[in-house]
Amino acid sequence: MNYIDQTVVMKKTNTRRLKNKLAKGMFFLSTLFGVVVLFILIVRIISQGIGWIDLDFLTGKLSTQVDRAGIMGAILGTLWLMVVVAPVTMIIGVSTAIYVELYVKNSKVKSIIQTNIANLAGVPSIVYGILGLTLFVRLLDFGNIVLAGGLTMSLLVLPIVVVASQEAIRAVPDHLSEASYGLGATKWQTIRRIILPAALPGILTGAILALSRAIGETAPLVVLGIPALLIPFPGGIFDTFTVLPMQIYYWTLDSSLVAEYANLAAATIVTLLVCLFVLNATAILIRNKFQKKY
Amino acid sequence: MSTVVQNNTQKLSVVNFNTQQQAVYQTEKLNLWYGQVHALKNIDLSIGYKEVTAIIGPSGCGKSTFLKTLNRMVELVPGVRISGEITYNKTDILHESFSVEELRTRVGMVFQKPNPFPKSIYGNIAYGPKIHGIRNKEILNSIVENSLRQAYLWDEVKDRLHQSAHELSGGQQQRLCIARCLAIEPDVILMDEPTSALDPNSTRQIEELIKELKKDYSIVIVTHNMQQAARISDKTAFFLNGEIIEYDQTNRIFTQPTDQRTEDYINGRFG
């Protein structure tokens, strides 16, 4: 038995070990790249914008005068937008996931729906904007109010919620629902009391991703014709509105005219990031609460 | 717990049987297919009232499938077809108009692997009564206590009813699942290899429990373990390739089987 030539093995050992180290180095550099770029971005934004954030800026109305400009309208607009997007996507998205995962029996029909949802997730956001403009703003004649923007945005992020919820529902072990059926529970009781609670952490993860996307998305709202300047604060979902990313967009656009607009844009970005952070932290807290329970 | 409360819970049970009645279940020409696979072939079997009926046989012989047809859980498998007749307490349960939810409140099931819900111990037991509309806290409390006592689990868990059921040991979890099934006050308990995932000591406890439960319930148990069938059952059915080979008093099956295949199986020549 002499199939293995020890000298060749010894020679190759060094190259194998080198490759091993190279692989580790490559993974490290890739991670480093992302972290460093993000760090620079955040430091730059904060250093440029933080000086411009004060109570007047946060609570003030929009103004063409740099010193008097405030973003309360955009903050409120973003919040109202979420008031529409969060329930609409959660209800429709989770219901869709439940239907596809737990009710559709024909595997062909299921795969057609699956493919459709996956494709919808890849459609560029501006296309959703055009759909929203046609359907909600013009056909249903909503005008460019929060409801129209929110429904458009909901369509855009719906696939994220559906896919995440499907995966979460699929991950609930069959033996739990069997135990429930075995006790005489109906399908709906089993879904509501066993499957959904067990899937909730996964569903909320999807919701976090979806809302984060919706809060920062600009393109569809540009298409809807959301104005950016000098409008009254929105008081409900039937008012016209602007949102933080729109504000950033317009101020960046106009920074060639008034250089300080760039600083206002940076300050708005910081505000947007804080909003996003608060929103995500809340969702994560809710998720952890459900995860830890049992 | 006060007797007043206990009386309350007893009102909830559905009285079905007079004592003369012999068979809880009767199957006639029961056939079942998973797609093209013929899993049960012309099963004629009657299951005795307040008896332990053991179903033995090698893997894939259809014994679990048979058990799951008794509470129609088998219908959760896509592509399943059933023909023939199953009467439970003289009612045709395969009839379209028969509600599976009702059937499954009369016929409880304990599964192969302990499968407590990710809820508290209390929440696990109270789940069944709650889905059947019982909201009264006192009634629920006494159902939980009675069920846990019946499953000999009360003393071990009475101080931590509101802790997660997943903190219990495997054997305790399985007794919890039995208690959960008792909480809906069934007449029949179906057990699908309830001890196959447990250690010998827990197995012994479950077997003792089954002997106790026999006084009040009709039990059908599928088991891989022939000694277990011999120890706890009154009647034993031997399944092979989807057919019933032999069905008789347990002591006859194990001492003087009539069919050569039964004898070979119980003597460990195959399976």
Side-chain angles (χ1 to χ4, degrees):
Chain A
M1 282 274 280
N2 238 340
Y3 293 113
I4 293 174
D5 184 345
Q6 290 300 333
T7 53
V8 178
V9 172
M10 293 304 281
K11 254 190 244 164
K12 287 218 165 164
T13 305
N14 285 332
T15 20
R16 287 198 293 135
R17 288 166 60 89
L18 186 68
K19 276 183 191 168
N20 190 34
K21 275 184 185 159
L22 276 175
K24 184 190 168 186
M26 200 185 78
F27 300 143
F28 174 70
L29 285 177
S30 303
T31 313
L32 196 67
F33 176 76
V35 173
V36 166
V37 170
L38 269 178
F39 183 73
I40 292 173
L41 182 81
I42 288 175
V43 166
R44 196 179 121 57
I45 294 291
I46 290 180
S47 64
Q48 191 180 359
I50 198 86
W52 290 76
I53 298 180
D54 55 25
L55 203 64
D56 288 340
F57 176 72
L58 290 176
T59 57
K61 280 189 179 177
L62 285 171
S63 166
T64 44
Q65 284 168 278
V66 175
D67 300 336
R68 293 178 51 196
I71 54 166
M72 192 61 188
I75 293 176
L76 286 174
T78 294
L79 290 179
W80 281 118
L81 193 73
M82 291 305 112
V83 166
V84 176
V85 174
V88 169
T89 50
M90 283 297 277
I91 292 168
I92 298 182
V94 176
S95 302
T96 307
I98 290 175
Y99 184 72
V100 175
E101 280 304 311
L102 303 171
Y103 285 91
V104 178
K105 293 219 172 75
N106 187 326
S107 60
K108 231 177 205 164
V109 175
K110 193 169 165 175
S111 81
I112 290 172
I113 299 176
Q114 292 276 49
T115 316
N116 260 306
I117 292 168
N119 282 333
L120 281 178
V123 172
S125 59
I126 197 155
V127 177
Y128 282 99
I130 295 167
L131 175 72
L133 181 71
T134 319
L135 187 63
F136 302 123
V137 178
R138 298 217 176 122
L139 208 63
L140 297 174
D141 207 16
F142 287 169
N144 38 24
I145 57 170
V146 176
L147 186 63
L151 290 176
T152 308
M153 209 57 105
S154 301
L155 286 178
L156 172 68
V157 299
L158 203 53
I160 303 174
V161 178
V162 174
V163 171
S165 306
Q166 273 183 293
E167 272 164 25
I169 289 169
R170 220 176 298 146
V172 178
D174 283 342
H175 62 74
L176 291 184
S177 37
E178 280 173 12
S180 174
Y181 289 130
L183 291 163
T186 60
K187 190 159 194 167
W188 166 238
Q189 284 176 319
T190 304
I191 290 171
R192 200 182 84 74
R193 290 165 182 270
I194 302 298
I195 297 177
L196 279 186
L200 198 63
I203 292 174
L204 283 176
T205 305
I208 294 169
L209 281 174
L211 289 190
S212 306
R213 174 95 193 270
I215 215 174
E217 193 61 62
T218 326
L221 296 180
V222 174
V223 180
L224 288 187
I226 303 301
L229 283 171
L230 300 170
I231 52 165
F233 293 166
I237 59 169
F238 298 106
D239 292 347
T240 50
F241 72 112
T242 188
V243 291
L244 290 165
M246 291 295 294
Q247 203 55 58
I248 296 165
Y249 172 70
Y250 283 118
W251 267 331
T252 312
L253 213 60
D254 293 345
S255 64
S256 52
L257 307 174
V258 184
E260 281 89 350
Y261 279 171
N263 298 330
L264 289 178
T268 314
I269 291 172
V270 174
T271 317
L272 179 62
L273 288 177
V274 170
C275 283
L276 201 63
F277 179 76
V278 170
L279 191 80
N280 283 358
T282 319
I284 289 169
L285 280 179
I286 297 173
R287 185 180 68 190
N288 289 352
K289 187 173 170 286
F290 278 96
Q291 262 172 341
K292 268 184 203 148
K293 210 167 173 189
Y294 291 111
Chain B
M1 200 59 56
S2 71
T3 44
V4 181
V5 176
Q6 287 196 342
N7 283 338
N8 272 341
T9 58
Q10 271 165 7
K11 271 185 209 155
L12 299 164
S13 64
V14 188
V15 181
N16 286 303
F17 296 102
N18 50 52
T19 39
Q20 285 92 20
Q21 197 170 353
Q22 289 305 301
V24 187
Y25 269 109
Q26 183 82 46
T27 73
E28 259 173 65
K29 295 216 167 43
L30 179 67
N31 281 279
L32 183 141
W33 292 265
Y34 291 121
Q36 297 302 312
V37 183
H38 198 175
L40 292 178
K41 297 166 192 163
N42 287 319
I43 306 288
D44 291 328
L45 192 75
S46 84
I47 286 161
Y49 175 63
K50 288 193 183 176
E51 281 183 341
V52 176
T53 306
I55 298 174
I56 58 169
S59 298
C61 69
K63 55 190 192 302
S64 284
T65 299
F66 175 73
L67 193 77
K68 284 182 195 154
T69 52
L70 293 180
N71 68 348
R72 290 178 57 182
M73 289 285 280
V74 77
E75 288 167 21
L76 293 177
V77 181
V80 82
R81 277 181 303 131
I82 308 174
S83 78
E85 201 172 75
I86 305 178
T87 50
Y88 163 72
N89 194 25
K90 292 183 178 150
T91 314
D92 178 12
I93 62 162
L94 292 180
H95 198 271
E96 275 176 27
S97 66
F98 195 81
S99 105
V100 286
E101 287 81 16
E102 192 187 328
L103 174 68
R104 289 172 193 160
T105 63
R106 308 274 182 84
V107 182
M109 190 165 204
V110 177
F111 297 81
Q112 188 166 355
K113 266 169 76 181
N115 56 355
F117 298 126
K119 297 174 183 289
S120 67
I121 293 169
Y122 186 98
N124 265 275
I125 309 289
Y127 180 81
K130 272 186 185 168
I131 57 173
H132 297 298
I134 293 167
R135 291 278 175 275
N136 185 317
K137 268 265 155 62
E138 279 184 23
I139 295 182
L140 283 176
N141 288 344
S142 49
I143 290 177
V144 169
E145 181 175 344
N146 283 343
S147 310
L148 286 170
R149 279 189 193 282
Q150 273 188 285
Y152 296 105
L153 196 59
W154 176 252
D155 290 330
E156 291 162 60
V157 300
K158 64 182 173 194
D159 299 323
R160 44 174 174 152
L161 289 177
H162 295 281
Q163 287 176 28
S164 168
H166 289 256
E167 286 166 20
L168 299 173
S169 74
Q172 287 174 324
Q173 287 190 13
Q174 193 63 305
R175 277 182 284 147
L176 180 76
C177 292
I178 294 174
R180 179 176 67 188
C181 155
L182 299 177
I184 55 169
E185 304 184 1
D187 303 316
V188 183
I189 304 173
L190 308 176
M191 297 185 168
D192 189 2
E193 300 188 35
T195 62
S196 65
L198 302 181
D199 62 83
N201 196 36
S202 305
T203 301
R204 191 184 49 77
Q205 286 177 317
I206 302 269
E207 287 182 10
E208 291 303 317
L209 176 57
I210 291 171
K211 284 181 195 165
E212 278 300 312
L213 292 174
K214 193 179 107 173
K215 294 171 188 163
D216 300 307
Y217 304 89
S218 311
I219 295 171
V220 187
I221 180 169
V222 163
T223 178
H224 242 100
N225 180 334
M226 279 173 283
Q227 284 75 31
Q228 182 168 66
R231 279 193 298 262
I232 61 174
S233 69
D234 301 297
K235 284 189 181 149
T236 298
F238 172 55
F239 274 54
L240 187 63
N241 298 326
E243 290 175 275
I244 288 198
I245 303 301
E246 200 167 345
Y247 179 46
D248 209 333
Q249 300 293 331
T250 297
N251 54 9
R252 281 186 68 87
I253 288 266
F254 281 94
T255 52
Q256 40 196 153
T258 52
D259 196 290
Q260 186 61 38
R261 288 168 293 183
T262 315
E263 192 176 336
D264 288 348
Y265 181 71
I266 59 175
N267 289 322
R269 292 197 193 106
F270 74 98

